[in-house]
Amino acid sequence: MSIKNNLLQIKSQLPNHVTLVAVSKTKPVTDLMEAYNAGQLIFGENKIQEMTDKWQEMPKDIQWYMIGHVQSNKVKFMAEYVSLIHGVDSLKLLEEINKQAKKHDRIIDCLLQIHIAEEETKFGLDEKELDEILEILKQVQYKNIKIVGLMGMATFTDNQNQIKKEFQNLKTIFDKVSHLKTENCQLNTLSMGMSGDYKLAIECGSTMVRIGSSIFGGRN
């Protein structure tokens, strides 16, 4: 199957309220252009340098989502163009995004990453840290960021019950905080689910899925 056919098949199965992020990391621009020409405008990358190179080369109506772990000192390299930063897991990082966005007179959308997996290697906030950040956002006006939702990654396992439990846990947290509305915080997006588990994630309430290998094939 071609990239175009893969993409159209997945899109035909997604509910209208679910946003598809085509995870294009390590893939050449020719592959991304095939997806773009089939109507895909949202691409997810996990390395800022690679994303920036592709942004410079490709059409400017594409939205670039940073889906990898972000180091504060790298934010400046994408602040000019990035549409959504997925893995915000500290106040320090939020402040840096705000600072760099201001230099470009932009407001950058962010998702707060919640740690739901049993693996220690995954990044993310616990519930207490999430509450603390949301409390600070009520008091401090960061004018150049907007928190638009939460994201999380399930444990890398074949145990569907465990994955489901983790997704449901994130949905519960999301439901608890999604009523919070301030100028720079409106939680409408719940990003969870990848190629292997996105259908389960949607069942559990996901509104954004990150799909790479099912569109572009396995990674090189």
Side-chain angles (χ1 to χ4, degrees):
M1 288 257 289
S2 68
I3 289 170
K4 177 182 178 178
N5 289 345
N6 290 343
L7 183 70
L8 295 178
Q9 188 182 356
I10 289 167
K11 281 191 164 174
S12 71
Q13 298 166 355
L14 291 182
N16 288 335
H17 69 278
V18 176
T19 300
L20 171 62
V21 182
V23 177
S24 49
K25 58 187 183 185
T26 76
K27 295 297 174 185
V29 166
T30 47
D31 286 9
L32 276 72
M33 283 306 299
E34 190 180 332
Y36 173 81
N37 289 328
Q40 181 64 22
L41 294 177
I42 299 174
F43 291 91
E45 294 279 336
N46 71 337
K47 293 202 162 56
I48 293 173
Q49 184 58 57
E50 185 184 342
M51 183 169 73
T52 301
D53 291 345
K54 288 172 176 172
W55 165 68
Q56 286 168 340
E57 202 174 321
M58 291 180 66
K60 291 300 173 265
D61 58 341
I62 291 173
Q63 292 183 38
W64 294 99
Y65 287 10
M66 179 61 193
I67 60 170
H69 181 65
V70 179
Q71 295 169 304
S72 296
N73 62 346
K74 299 273 175 72
V75 173
K76 57 179 177 282
F77 299 116
M78 62 176 170
E80 183 181 345
Y81 67 89
V82 70
S83 293
L84 178 66
I85 298 176
H86 258 71
V88 178
D89 58 1
S90 71
L91 187 64
K92 178 183 168 225
L93 180 55
L94 263 188
E95 289 173 338
E96 183 62 23
I97 296 167
N98 185 65
K99 180 176 130 188
Q100 297 299 335
K102 189 175 181 183
K103 290 181 184 173
H104 295 281
D105 197 23
R106 298 186 66 221
I107 295 172
I108 295 178
D109 288 350
C110 301
L111 299 178
L112 296 176
Q113 182 169 0
I114 310 302
H115 188 283
I116 54 169
E118 291 190 0
E119 297 152 330
E120 282 304 306
T121 51
K122 297 270 195 296
F123 297 97
L125 306 159
D126 61 29
E127 273 192 81
K128 183 169 172 285
E129 293 165 326
L130 171 65
D131 289 342
E132 285 167 1
I133 285 184
L134 292 174
E135 198 52 48
I136 289 166
L137 287 172
K138 284 187 210 166
Q139 297 158 18
V140 184
Q141 281 303 307
Y142 296 108
K143 296 256 193 292
N144 294 86
I145 51 164
K146 189 169 183 192
I147 310 296
V148 296
L150 305 180
M151 69 82 71
M153 291 166 73
T155 302
F156 191 66
T157 174
D158 293 329
N159 183 339
Q160 294 295 303
N161 287 335
Q162 183 178 349
I163 294 170
K164 185 174 184 179
K165 193 179 79 187
E166 290 168 0
F167 284 158
Q168 287 173 331
N169 177 28
L170 183 53
K171 175 69 162 88
T172 302
I173 295 169
F174 178 75
D175 287 343
K176 251 190 252 176
V177 297
S178 59
H179 64 278
L180 287 170
K181 299 264 188 273
T182 63
E183 203 172 327
N184 55 1
C185 182
Q186 285 172 15
L187 306 172
N188 305 313
T189 300
L190 180 56
S191 175
M192 57 186 191
M194 301 190 284
S195 285
D197 55 21
Y198 72 90
K199 290 176 180 168
L200 181 58
I202 291 168
E203 273 175 43
C204 294
S206 175
T207 66
M208 182 179 285
V209 292
R210 310 180 295 279
I211 300 179
S213 52
S214 298
I215 297 172
F216 295 107
R219 267 181 214 105
N220 313 329

